[in-house]
Every structure is written in structure tokens, then in C-alpha cells.
Amino acid sequence: MFEFTIIFKIVISLIIVILTMYGLLFVIKKYSPIATGFSNTNDIKIRDIKFIGKDKGLFTVEFYNKIILFSFSPNSIEKIEEKEIEVKDNE
């Protein structure tokens, strides 16, 4: 039979390992966004959607420093135009 102390030591060890892994994940996400691929800002934003007909329309997407205009229908999505935008620094 197992003693209570062995089970207690195993449970405490697992809790320590889980807390350590959570702490490392928190530090990596907070202090190293470039290395992990995480970003504090949204890289892709859907700015506007306009319907032309029942199943047809236009939508604009902001992606990095560009605004891209797309058209959509039930059969396809097409890129119409792309425009660079100025980035405003908050300094």
C-alpha cells in the first residue's frame, strides 16, 4: 500500500511543476512578443462591410499599414484595390 506522504509529495510536485510552467508562459507572453509571434495590437482589422445585393458586397481590411478593398459573392472573393496608410506615432 502507498503511504499518504508519497501521494502528498507527488501532488505537491505536480502543483509546483504546473505553477512553474504557467509562470514561464506568462513571462514569455508579456516580455517577449517578437520571439513568440504574439502581438499586443490586432494586426488584421475588418474596417467596413457594405452589401450591394443579397449575397454580394464589399469589405475593407486594415492589415499592417495597408487598407485593402475586397468584393465578395457566393462563388468568389476578389481583391480590388490596395492603399498605403500613414502610421501616427504617439510620442
Side-chain angles (χ1 to χ4, degrees):
M1 283 196 139
F2 288 110
E3 292 183 26
F4 178 73
T5 57
I6 294 174
I7 295 174
F8 181 74
K9 288 178 183 179
I10 291 173
V11 169
I12 294 297
S13 299
L14 286 174
I15 290 172
I16 291 171
V17 168
I18 291 170
L19 290 175
T20 303
M21 290 174 67
Y22 179 75
L24 286 173
L25 180 64
F26 176 77
V27 168
I28 289 171
K29 279 187 176 182
K30 184 165 182 150
Y31 297 109
S32 180
I34 295 172
T36 60
F38 296 115
S39 175
N40 292 334
T41 61
N42 294 331
D43 294 332
I44 300 174
K45 296 178 185 174
I46 297 177
R47 293 177 56 135
D48 196 16
I49 299 174
K50 298 290 182 189
F51 288 94
I52 298 172
K54 182 180 177 188
D55 294 330
K56 297 179 182 178
L58 302 168
F59 65 96
T60 56
V61 174
E62 185 176 335
F63 183 68
Y64 291 108
N65 297 332
K66 298 179 183 178
I67 296 176
I68 306 168
L69 176 64
F70 291 95
S71 68
F72 64 91
S73 66
N75 300 340
S76 66
I77 296 177
E78 296 179 19
K79 178 178 148 184
I80 297 176
E81 191 173 339
E82 185 174 315
K83 180 181 176 183
E84 293 282 332
I85 58 173
E86 295 180 18
V87 178
K88 296 179 183 178
D89 292 330
N90 295 329
E91 293 181 11

